[in-house]
Amino acid sequence: MMNKLYGELRGWGCDVDGALERVINDDELYLACLQSIAHDETFFSLGDALRAGDNERAFDCAHTLKGVLANLGLTPIYDIVVRIVEPLRAKSAEGVMEEYEKLLAARERLEKTIRKYVN
């Protein structure tokens, strides 16, 4: 099961091997972290903040996600959140909602991928 999950994540462009090193090759811990981020409310808090025009709160949410996604080797999702963090860091929200929609789609893809291999 884990090998198939890891294979699909690698095929998507995720750095599974680097992430596993960070969790001392603990498959159960890595899976728990993947499941946790796939259901993390911060994704939705980010959207709420963006819709409210609260760019400071949106930046905090996006920056938090950026760190977690990087540590978990979820490169395709990380790349999207970077395109949200950087404009917000520069005090601009231009183009951020479009990236947010991509972020939600990537989060959903992660969730479905995990569900495919884990009951």
Side-chain angles (χ1 to χ4, degrees), residues 13-61:
C14 296
D15 179 19
V16 173
D17 299 317
L20 282 170
E21 282 183 30
R22 284 186 283 284
V23 297
I24 315 166
N25 293 307
D26 185 333
D27 289 325
E28 288 182 27
L29 176 58
Y30 186 54
L31 178 59
C33 290
L34 289 175
Q35 290 172 314
S36 178
I37 194 63
H39 297 99
D40 196 307
E41 289 297 316
T42 307
F43 285 101
F44 306 106
S45 297
L46 171 58
D48 292 343
L50 289 171
R51 284 185 287 279
D54 187 346
N55 291 350
E56 187 174 325
R57 192 173 110 220
F59 174 81
D60 290 342
C61 291

Side-chain angles (χ1 to χ4, degrees), residues 63-82:
H63 195 264
T64 296
L65 287 170
K66 179 182 166 196
V68 175
L69 294 166
N71 281 319
L72 293 178
L74 298 172
T75 310
I77 309 174
Y78 168 86
D79 289 345
I80 298 167
V81 85
V82 166

